[in-house]
Amino acid sequence: MEISPSIISSDLLDLGSQIRECQNAGAGSFHLDIMDGHFVDNITMGPDMVSAIRKGTDLRLDGHLMIERPDKYYKSFIDAGCDVLLIHYETPIEVGNFLKKLDNENIKYGIVINPDTDIKKIYRFIPNCEIVLVMSVYPGFSGQKFIEKSLEKVRALRKYIDDNNYSTKIEIDGGINDETGKLAAEAGADILVSASYIFKNGIARSIKKLKSL
Ligand code: DX5
Ligand code: ZN
């Protein structure tokens, strides 16, 4: 199981050493929750913060773009060092056209769906996606309760991806701890994102626990 710590819940004053601790504990990538105060009711980091994090790790950086205009800002996040851009199906731009545009850029991407979005809407994007990210909370804040119904989406995606022999990874984000992470692993998730569980319960211990699920 790949663990992708979301640094949104880390001690930002001590970010460099927290990143090293995650790496030493076996994190497989980092999850950067980028929020603009429009697409969601919270504001987090911009490209400068991503550049700083880029200097602190060689692990894959996934930029989870919770912003209204990914088409306007995606280049700054690529330049800042994101390896994968995670794009919400629900953004107010025409997502299909935008992903086609990304196909011509040197960047990997994934598609993200909110708890109320039907997975049938994103099947057509999956062959070109590195990751399909199932939100198991409504995006905006860490520390929310896991929405159990999202497991049905993970199961359906697992079947769809396996039946078609795609290499797209299934990731789940929101309310992941040792119990919900186990359910997600059983449902077929490949990557677990976690913020509050990891950073509020001892980084090394929590990552090792999640990895073993
Ligand atoms: C929610 C973010 C998540 C969140 C996870 O908008 O996309 O990545 O920070 O936080 P926890 O793991 O605390 O639910
Ligand atoms: Zn996220």
Side-chain angles (χ1 to χ4, degrees):
M1 178 59 75
E2 178 183 322
I3 309 306
S4 195
S6 161
I7 58 112
I8 193 175
S9 294
S10 66
D11 175 358
L12 290 177
L13 253 190
D14 199 23
L15 186 55
S17 73
Q18 301 227 321
I19 284 176
R20 281 191 294 280
E21 198 176 338
C22 287
Q23 262 181 217
N24 293 340
S29 56
F30 285 98
H31 182 89
L32 309 181
D33 283 311
I34 296 160
M35 308 184 189
D36 67 352
H38 293 280
F39 183 68
V40 290
D41 285 333
N42 198 1
I43 301 177
T44 53
M45 70 186 90
D48 288 348
M49 175 87 168
V50 176
S51 304
I53 294 168
R54 179 72 289 168
K55 293 191 191 101
T57 180
D58 290 329
L59 290 184
R60 197 182 76 242
L61 295 183
D62 295 345
H64 179 187
L65 298 185
M66 285 163 276
I67 63 177
E68 217 166 62
R69 294 292 306 275
D71 56 325
K72 193 168 167 193
Y73 295 106
Y74 74 98
K75 277 209 168 90
S76 341
F77 287 105
I78 297 174
D79 293 344
C82 283
D83 298 297
V84 176
L85 296 179
L86 298 170
I87 310 294
H88 269 267
Y89 174 77
E90 301 84 4
T91 45
I93 61 165
E94 214 295 299
V95 171
N97 289 340
F98 179 54
L99 296 185
K100 266 190 217 133
K101 191 167 165 189
L102 290 185
D103 285 330
N104 298 319
E105 310 269 347
N106 197 15
I107 185 75
K108 293 175 177 161
Y109 60 81
I111 186 90
V112 189
I113 41 168
N114 276 341
D116 294 338
T117 303
D118 188 335
I119 45 168
K120 288 196 194 78
K121 295 193 170 151
I122 57 145
Y123 279 146
R124 67 196 161 110
F125 304 124
I126 289 178
N128 289 343
C129 284
E130 200 70 16
I131 292 171
V132 52
L133 173 55
V134 174
M135 290 306 299
S136 41
V137 296
Y138 293 96
F141 296 89
S142 58
Q144 301 181 73
K145 193 175 175 310
F146 182 78
I147 298 171
E148 289 238 357
K149 238 177 126 42
S150 51
L151 293 170
E152 288 166 23
K153 288 185 185 170
V154 174
R155 273 184 219 109
L157 284 166
R158 179 79 279 151
K159 181 168 173 10
Y160 182 76
I161 287 170
D162 290 350
D163 286 353
N164 288 284
N165 251 324
Y166 295 141
S167 56
T168 312
K169 301 276 187 232
I170 302 173
E171 182 171 49
I172 186 161
D173 180 12
I176 295 293
N177 54 36
D178 51 349
E179 283 166 23
T180 56
K182 190 168 192 323
L183 299 175
E186 284 164 3
D190 301 297
I191 310 172
L192 301 178
V193 175
S194 170
S196 49
Y197 174 72
I198 289 178
F199 290 100
K200 310 286 180 215
N201 290 290
I203 295 174
R205 203 187 119 256
S206 316
I207 290 180
K208 283 182 184 145
K209 180 91 190 163
L210 291 177
K211 254 177 93 96
S212 71
L213 297 178

